[in-house]
Amino acid sequence: MTKETVARRNSNNKKSGSLPYQTLLYAVGGILIADLLVMALALLGIGGETGRVYLQTVLFPLAAFVGGFFSLVATRHVLVCLTSSLVVHALLYCIALGFNVGMFLWLLLYMISGFVGLSIAYIVLTHKS
């Protein structure tokens, strides 16, 4: 990198007022809030084995969709949103439901749901009427 490139990047960050890690924090925060809300609903509101089944099959995909949508609207960085979604969902799945081999197939479903949310957010952001 040349000094001009570094200087231009630093001046762009100063103009926008954002820190380099702020985008990652917004993406992780949006996804984490959506996931924690559905975990609280499933485990505290419904409870028991029924709550775990609803969490795994219905609420985690819904949270992936909503989290992907709002994190892309807040950050406008697709790759950051996808990777943070994968990491957050894997961690919360292991915490709530335990680690097993079938987890990877469920994570694939959650990533597809998150990608649909990202796609709809992209359409919303680029739509001009």
Side-chain angles (χ1 to χ4, degrees):
M1 283 185 168
T2 64
K3 289 183 180 182
E4 291 176 3
T5 308
V6 172
R8 191 176 312 128
R9 183 177 298 157
N10 288 338
S11 67
N12 287 341
N13 281 343
K14 289 177 185 175
K15 287 178 187 174
S16 66
S18 65
L19 300 172
Y21 56 85
Q22 193 171 10
T23 303
L24 179 65
L25 289 177
Y26 282 149
V28 169
I31 293 167
L32 193 60
I33 287 171
D35 284 350
L36 290 177
L37 286 175
V38 299
M39 281 179 64
L41 173 72
L43 299 178
L44 298 175
I46 300 170
E49 188 63 30
T50 306
R52 294 170 60 94
V53 170
Y54 276 114
L55 179 67
Q56 184 177 19
T57 58
V58 176
L59 295 175
F60 261 156
L62 180 65
F65 174 81
V66 171
F69 180 84
F70 286 116
S71 66
L72 186 66
V73 168
T75 63
R76 297 187 178 167
H77 292 284
V78 175
L79 187 60
V80 172
C81 293
L82 279 175
T83 55
S84 60
S85 176
L86 178 66
V87 170
V88 168
H89 282 104
L91 288 174
L92 290 179
Y93 186 94
C94 287
I95 290 171
L97 303 169
F99 180 80
N100 56 16
V101 179
M103 176 183 90
F104 297 110
L105 293 175
W106 286 109
L107 284 176
L108 180 64
L109 172 70
Y110 305 152
M111 292 308 302
I112 292 170
S113 179
F115 183 74
V116 171
L118 289 172
S119 301
I120 291 174
Y122 180 76
I123 291 169
V124 167
L125 290 173
T126 59
H127 178 71
K128 299 192 189 245
S129 56

